[in-house]
């Protein structure tokens, strides 16, 4: 069968099941190592029996409820492809906005940011992306999951970056070592247990619960983390955390309690939902 015929058949199934119609293209692009434009310029090419069998297996897994990123073992983030497995979350566009906010701050305050820590780093997408954008910075990522850190180290190698990854519960290791950072970022578990009923099976049945849910209406990790952050920063710092869209005011209060002299603001995402809390005291 040609690529065109495979796509036509797959599209009919995806439409019938009300699923993402781009999935077939994504599978073929990744497996055939083609860009989207290259795929469409070779649309009449015959797939080999091996290629067709691979597509059929991948497509069946997707129809059975497995995220395409885990099937292919790769997910895009900030213009780069990262390895992902069920041990780590699939990167979200909201997290790209957190990276963008950090990137803009670094550019607006040249020379002031040198040491950056990403807590609950998962697959390492945040520190690796910042290291790729700013090779001169010292980037560190930490996580309690050894399985996640294995993926992060692999991504570090793949992206040819030099991020340091530390296995620790939140920031415990850095407190013990007396380390300081100019910028701290975190995308911790923040989903409340009561939200489980409204979540997609694609998430619940595939992504790691350790990286999704937190007690106390999703605030427990922030409560533990933010109380320790004053010991990890110098006089000038920038801290940015991703949040659930209903948690802005509660997390803002946590920062204001830990950093009474700093500026704290809730920042919305592209959809107009509260998505980040930023805390800093850098003088412009």
């Amino acid at each position: 069968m040609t690529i065109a015929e495979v796509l036509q058949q797959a599209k009919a199934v995806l439409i019938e099941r009300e699923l993402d119609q781009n999935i077939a293209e994504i599978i073929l692009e990744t497996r055939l190592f083609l860009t989207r434009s290259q795929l469409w310029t070779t649309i009449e090419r015959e797939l080999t029996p091996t290629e067709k069998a691979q597509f059929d297996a991948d497509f069946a897994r997707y129809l059975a409820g497995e995220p395409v990123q885990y099937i292919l073992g790769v997910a895009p983030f900030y213009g780069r492809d990262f390895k992902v497995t069920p041990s780590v979350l699939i990167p979200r566009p909201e997290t790209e906005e957190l990276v963008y906010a950090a990137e803009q701050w670094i550019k607006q305050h040249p020379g002031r940011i040198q040491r950056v820590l990403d807590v609950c780093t998962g697959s390492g997408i945040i520190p690796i992306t910042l290291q790729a954008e700013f090779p001169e910075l010292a980037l560190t990522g930490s996580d309690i999951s050894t399985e996640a850190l294995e993926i992060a180290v692999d991504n570090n190698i793949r992206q040819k970056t030099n991020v340091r990854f530390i296995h620790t519960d939140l920031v415990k290791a850095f407190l013990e070592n007396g380390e300081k950072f100019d910028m701290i970022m975190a995308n911790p578990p923040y989903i409340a247990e009561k939200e489980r009923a409204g979540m997609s099976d694609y998430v619940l049945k595939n992504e790691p619960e350790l990286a999704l849910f937190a007690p106390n209406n999703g605030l427990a990790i922030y409560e533990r983390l933010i109380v320790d952050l004053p010991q990890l920063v110098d006089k000038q710092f920038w801290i940015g955390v991703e949040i659930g869209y209903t948690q802005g005011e509660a997390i803002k209060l946590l920062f204001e309690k830990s950093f009474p002299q700093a500026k704290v603001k809730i920042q919305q995402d592209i959809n107009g939902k509260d998505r980040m809390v930023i805390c800093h005291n850098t003088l412009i």
Side-chain angles (χ1 to χ4, degrees):
M1 295 181 68
T2 65
I3 291 174
E5 291 170 333
V6 169
L7 290 176
Q8 185 176 16
Q9 288 187 4
K11 186 176 181 179
V13 174
L14 294 168
I15 291 174
E16 180 183 358
R17 300 199 184 189
E18 298 182 343
L19 296 170
D20 187 348
Q21 295 178 38
N22 290 308
I23 291 300
E25 285 98 327
I26 291 170
I27 292 173
L28 285 174
E29 288 167 19
T30 305
R31 293 303 190 191
L32 299 178
F33 303 100
L34 300 174
T35 65
R36 181 62 60 97
S37 60
Q38 288 171 336
L39 181 71
W40 286 103
T41 55
T42 58
I43 198 76
E44 297 304 326
R45 176 167 87 76
E46 291 277 344
L47 293 179
T48 67
T50 299
E51 291 169 342
K52 179 60 166 58
Q54 181 69 68
F55 175 83
D56 289 343
D58 293 340
F59 195 59
R61 289 171 64 184
Y62 175 74
L63 295 178
E66 191 172 349
V68 69
Q69 295 91 340
Y70 290 154
I71 296 168
L72 300 174
V74 66
F77 184 81
Y78 223 77
R80 297 174 180 85
D81 287 334
F82 288 85
K83 178 182 178 180
V84 293
T85 73
S87 296
V88 297
L89 291 182
I90 295 168
R92 264 68 167 183
E94 294 86 353
T95 308
E96 292 190 343
E97 296 191 49
L98 177 61
V99 171
Y100 179 77
E103 179 183 8
Q104 294 306 301
W105 187 266
I106 294 169
K107 289 179 177 178
Q108 292 164 9
H109 301 82
R112 295 190 181 179
I113 303 297
Q114 299 294 328
R115 304 156 297 173
V116 183
L117 171 64
D118 177 46
V119 185
C120 302
T121 197
S123 59
I125 55 174
I126 290 177
I128 289 172
T129 298
L130 284 176
Q131 176 84 90
E133 298 292 329
F134 303 97
E136 72 278 9
L137 301 186
L139 273 294
T140 300
S142 71
D143 207 288
I144 196 171
S145 168
T146 55
E147 293 84 1
L149 288 175
E150 288 176 2
I151 303 302
V153 169
D154 197 342
N155 280 321
N156 203 26
I157 296 170
R158 290 169 178 240
Q159 299 295 337
K160 297 180 172 61
T161 46
N162 189 33
V163 177
R164 176 184 63 151
F165 289 105
I166 302 295
H167 177 243
T168 183
D169 183 6
L170 294 180
V171 295
K172 182 180 179 181
F174 310 113
L175 292 172
E176 292 173 348
N177 295 336
E179 291 191 56
K180 301 282 187 179
F181 299 91
D182 310 304
M183 173 176 280
I184 298 177
M185 305 173 69
N187 179 20
Y190 58 68
I191 300 175
E193 187 63 34
K194 64 183 180 183
E195 297 179 62
R196 184 185 293 267
M199 294 176 64
S200 164
D201 282 348
Y202 270 87
V203 175
L204 292 174
K205 293 181 178 180
N206 294 284
E207 299 195 64
E209 291 202 1
L210 179 66
L212 291 170
F213 296 98
N216 193 21
N217 290 321
L219 297 173
I221 303 299
Y222 298 110
E223 291 170 337
R224 290 181 52 211
L225 174 63
I226 294 171
V227 73
D228 286 333
L229 292 183
Q231 301 176 64
L232 295 177
V233 295
D234 284 324
K235 293 181 180 179
Q236 296 189 22
F237 62 85
W238 186 97
I239 301 169
V241 299
E242 184 174 328
I243 63 170
Y245 69 93
T246 64
Q247 298 171 327
E249 291 298 334
I251 295 170
K252 183 173 182 283
L253 286 174
L254 292 174
F255 272 109
E256 289 173 341
K257 184 176 180 179
S258 285
F259 296 96
Q261 306 302 319
K263 296 179 181 179
V264 183
K265 68 174 182 176
I266 301 168
Q267 193 161 314
Q268 295 183 327
D269 62 20
I270 195 172
N271 297 311
K273 293 184 177 182
D274 291 351
R275 187 59 61 189
M276 289 171 273
V277 174
I278 307 297
C279 175
H280 70 87
N281 72 341
T282 302
L283 300 177
I284 296 176

